[in-house]
Each structure stands twice: as structure tokens, then as C-alpha cells.
Amino acid sequence: MEVELESYRDRFAGIRAGLTGEVDRGMVLIEELLMELDSTKTILKKAQLDLDNESETRRRLQQEVKKGRELGERQGRRPFIVALIDADADCYVFHDQFIARGEKGGEDAADALLAALQQFVRGLAGEPNEMDIMVRAFANLSGLGAALRRDGRLRDKDELRAFATGFSSRQAFFDFVDIGPGKERADLKVRESIKFFLETFQCKHLVLACGHDDGYAPWLGQFVGDKQVVERITLLEGSPFPAKMRNLGLRTTRFSSVFNNVTQPAVSASLVGPAWGRAITPTVAEAVADRGSNSERLLTAGSVHLGGPAGHNPQAQLDRLGPVLTNHAGRRIDRPLQVNKVVVERIKKCSLCYYFYLRGKCTTKCLRNHLYRSLTDEEFDALWEQARQGRCSKSRKVDREGGDDCSDAMCIYGHGSRAG
């Protein structure tokens, strides 16, 4: 009996030891499972955050794509082409049949230009045929009107202002802008407009009427290396392009039905000149007609008889002569001028009257040229520089005898030194 009890005890002890081991192994397993669960929950939480972020990013991208599509649709709704015209240039003046008929002529000119641009658009590869057409023409209407009247192409300089009104009112996007007098104002308007429209997605093409002046060439040259930009630019040819403009290699076109040829029609022999108040002889009329707008054909003193008092020149820029400047010693000094040597040489060949073109009046028996058109700012400075080669008589007298220096704000001759 004792042996059996001991045997039961041994067996029970063995079972207890086995159970204890199993329990311990079970507890270890449970702990491992709990740790794995924690790790899985952490991974799941991170995955959920990543999913939320991806979902938000996807929604944002979808919204941006939608906005971009809507923007593209809006931008594509009204594509347009723009023509920018430096209308102060001789070769971009509208036909006489338009400008001589005032407001009605302006309306007809707008129609003619619209038709020419519509035909041009139809020839553009890859662009829609139906595009809005915008035109911006820039000019000093007072100065241009006076020059056209002087050339016998207008009866009254105010006709040009009526023409501009008709032109601007005829089409919704046509504007003839009066920029007033001032150096390179038209240039600035054209250049800034080019930059603006090149950066405008809806603007598909630019027609530039500024090829007369090679001063535009270096500025336009910045775009030549960009093929996409070059394909959006066409130069409108009036007079033959200067070499620098031609060498840009930009596309060109002509609108002969809209703008004048370079050589202007002859002035009538019976026309009384508005500036000099005397009849122009046939010889003079032929010379005026022959000069066109190129410097090579400018009227010179040797080609015609130019004698006699010229009277008043209302287009002279008298306000540019003053004020009088003095140095610390009280002596008069000359302010520096913006002088282009090429323009100086060209103006020298014209033998222009200093008093008539700088001071606005010549009442003596003068043998110099009074038949040239109104001067640009650059030409005014060139002629003034030429006049300054002669020393002011009062300034010379002060050099010899002392006293008060020249105080005439209208004096066009040279004085002691240049303002620095």
C-alpha cells in the first residue's frame, strides 16, 4: 500500500512539473503574442496615417488638376492676336485716303487693318482661325498731325485726331493711343506691351510694326534664342528693314492695303507751307517728295533754293532749351545732350536753320533749310549740339571784359563749359 501511494505521488509530481512547464511556456507565448499585437497595431496606425496623407494628397492633386483644367478652358476660350504699331514712323502711317477723311477714314482704316489681320491669321499654322484681334497704335498725334499737314497730306492737323477717334471706336479692341511729345515714348509703349503679351497665355501671336528702327533690334534679340517665342512674332515691313532688324531672322509680312509706301506723293506746287508761309516751287516740291523717310534722301541745302524768312515754327520744342544753368562762379554752363553721332552726321547734311527748328522763329533773310519735317528729340539734340559749336557772343564778351554772363534761356549757342 505504501508503494502504491508513493507511486501516485511521483506520478502527480511529474504531472505538476509538466503542467508548470506548459503554463510557463503558455505565458511566454501569450507575452510574445501581446508584443506582436502591439507592434502590429503600431504598424497599422502608421499605415493608416500614410493612407490618410496619400488620400489628402490625391484629393489635393485632383482639385489642382480640376482647377488647371478649368483655367486651361478659360484661357482657351478667347485666344487673340495683337498688332503693336509705332505709328510715329513714316512707314507705318496709314494711307492718305484714310487719314485725310477724319473720323470716317479712321473707321475705314480699322476695317482694312482688321481684314488684313484676319487674312494673316488664316495663314498661321496650328492656330485657330477664329481669334479676337487686338490693335494698339501709339503716336504723338499733335506732332504727327503737324508733320502730315506740313507734307500736304492733311488740310488740318486736327484731322488726325478725328481719324484716331474713328479708328478706336470702330472695333472693340482697336486703340489709337496719343502718347504726347517726348523722347522714345512710343518705343517704351511698344516694348512693354511686347513683354506683357508674350507672357499672356491667350495671346497666340504678335504682329510688330516697329521694323523701321534698328534700335529695337538688340532688345528683340533677347527672344531670338527661344524657338517658341520666335514662332509667335511677326515683323510688319514698311520701309526696307535696317540690317540689324533683318538679321534677327524673324518672320515678316506686309499690309500694303493699309499703310503708306515709304516714298510720299509729291506736294502740290501751289501749296502754301504752313510753317514758312510762302509758296513751294515745283523744284522744292519734288525735293520734299523725294526725301521719303530715309536719311539717304533727306532734303539738303544744295538741292533747292531755301532763301527768305521762314516765319514761325509752332512745332519747335522751345521748352527743351531752358532753364539757364550756372556754375559756382556764376558762369553759364550747358547741360549735356543725348547725342547720337550717326544722327549728328545726318542732320549736318540737311543744313537746317537753327533758329527755325530750335527757337521756333526765323525772320531774317536766311539761306538755310526750313522745309524739313518736325524734329524728333534725338534730332533736336543733334542740331543743338551742332549750333553749340558756335560760341555765344555775350559769353565771349564776358571772357574778355567780365560782367554778367548770358541769361537768355532761348540761347542755342555754346557757353563756357558743360554741366557735369
Side-chain angles (χ1 to χ4, degrees):
M1 190 68 176
E2 286 287 336
V3 175
E4 290 181 359
L5 289 173
E6 188 65 29
S7 173
Y8 290 145
R9 290 190 182 94
D10 290 341
R11 289 171 60 190
F12 178 73
I15 292 171
R16 172 184 283 179
L19 289 174
T20 300
E22 290 298 328
V23 170
D24 290 342
R25 285 191 293 272
M27 294 300 294
V28 170
L29 177 61
I30 292 172
E31 289 179 358
E32 290 176 353
L33 290 173
L34 290 174
M35 291 175 62
E36 187 68 24
L37 179 60
D38 286 342
S39 177
T40 302
K41 288 177 65 177
T42 300
I43 294 173
L44 179 61
K45 186 176 182 180
K46 182 179 180 182
Q48 185 63 49
L49 290 174
D50 291 341
L51 179 60
D52 292 343
N53 289 336
E54 290 296 328
S55 299
E56 180 64 26
T57 300
R58 185 185 62 182
R59 281 193 293 272
R60 187 167 59 250
L61 287 175
Q62 288 175 338
Q63 291 174 353
E64 290 177 358
V65 168
K66 182 180 178 181
K67 290 180 180 178
R69 187 182 297 115
E70 292 174 350
L71 178 61
E73 291 175 354
R74 287 198 300 270
Q75 290 177 333
R77 286 174 191 164
R78 297 293 295 269
F80 66 88
I81 178 177
V82 63
L84 301 173
I85 304 170
D86 185 344
D88 271 337
D90 290 351
C91 56
Y92 298 123
V93 173
F94 289 86
H95 274 308
D96 292 359
Q97 62 179 326
F98 296 135
I99 61 175
R101 291 189 290 117
E103 186 169 347
K104 182 61 169 65
E107 294 175 352
D108 292 343
D111 291 342
L113 182 55
L114 177 63
L117 286 168
Q118 286 173 334
Q119 183 176 357
F120 173 79
V121 168
R122 287 192 286 271
L124 290 177
E127 299 295 351
N129 290 335
E130 297 299 324
M131 288 197 288
D132 289 323
I133 294 177
M134 184 179 297
V135 175
R136 296 283 187 273
F138 306 103
N140 171 12
L141 289 182
S142 296
L144 181 59
L148 293 174
R149 179 173 179 252
R150 182 172 302 147
D151 285 346
R153 298 166 61 191
L154 291 179
R155 294 185 301 273
D156 188 316
K157 65 180 182 179
D158 290 334
E159 288 179 338
L160 184 62
R161 197 168 294 278
F163 167 88
T165 299
F167 183 88
S168 299
S169 61
R170 185 63 167 178
Q171 301 292 335
F173 302 124
F174 280 36
D175 295 296
F176 202 115
V177 183
D178 181 10
I179 58 174
K183 186 175 182 180
E184 296 185 349
R185 285 190 178 182
D187 292 18
L188 179 62
K189 289 283 188 181
V190 171
R191 292 180 184 185
E192 290 301 314
S193 296
I194 291 172
K195 288 169 58 178
F196 175 79
F197 287 115
L198 282 178
E199 295 173 359
T200 302
F201 181 82
Q202 290 164 283
C203 180
K204 302 303 180 182
H205 206 85
L206 290 84
V207 177
L208 307 180
C210 59
H212 65 291
D213 184 357
D214 61 8
Y216 283 101
W219 191 83
L220 287 172
Q222 66 182 302
F223 305 115
V224 170
D226 190 332
K227 184 179 179 181
Q228 290 184 336
V229 172
V230 167
E231 290 176 349
R232 294 172 61 200
I233 296 177
T234 295
L235 292 180
L236 184 62
E237 187 171 7
S239 60
F241 288 137
K244 291 182 180 179
M245 293 294 291
R246 189 170 57 252
N247 292 339
L248 290 174
L250 296 172
R251 180 190 345 218
T252 65
T253 189
R254 280 181 175 272
F255 293 163
S256 300
S257 62
V258 181
F259 298 103
N260 261 324
N261 294 326
V262 175
T263 303
Q264 305 300 341
V267 181
S268 169
S270 62
L271 178 68
V272 177
W276 48 91
R278 56 188 175 85
I280 303 178
T281 65
T283 304
V284 174
E286 291 167 6
V288 172
D290 184 58
R291 68 177 167 85
S293 64
N294 288 338
S295 60
E296 292 85 353
R297 295 197 294 271
L298 291 174
L299 184 64
T300 61
S303 62
V304 292
H305 177 67
L306 302 172
H312 291 269
N313 176 11
Q315 299 305 315
Q317 303 178 52
L318 308 182
D319 57 320
R320 301 191 64 199
L321 294 176
V324 174
L325 303 178
T326 58
N327 60 19
H328 65 280
R331 293 300 305 273
R332 179 166 179 173
I333 55 178
D334 295 327
R335 67 176 176 85
L337 303 176
Q338 300 296 321
V339 177
N340 184 316
K341 292 183 179 179
V342 175
V343 177
V344 170
E345 292 304 314
R346 172 160 55 84
I347 289 297
K348 282 182 179 179
K349 297 176 182 178
C350 299
S351 190
L352 301 182
C353 173
Y354 301 149
Y355 268 59
F356 185 74
Y357 285 99
L358 299 180
R359 294 176 62 113
K361 182 171 64 174
C362 176
T363 56
T364 62
K365 187 175 182 180
C366 175
L367 298 179
R368 297 184 72 85
N369 183 352
H370 307 100
L371 300 180
Y372 191 60
R373 57 168 169 74
S374 299
L375 300 183
T376 65
D377 290 0
E378 198 171 39
E379 290 170 340
F380 185 98
D381 282 359
L383 185 61
W384 194 2
E385 178 72 10
Q386 186 179 342
R388 282 181 176 180
Q389 303 307 309
R391 186 78 185 281
C392 169
S393 59
K394 188 167 185 178
S395 185
R396 288 201 309 268
K397 184 177 180 181
V398 173
D399 289 343
R400 296 193 306 268
E401 305 172 8
D404 295 329
D405 208 342
C406 175
S407 60
D408 180 8
M410 300 286 288
C411 182
I412 58 177
Y413 296 107
H415 300 89
S417 60
R418 302 289 173 90

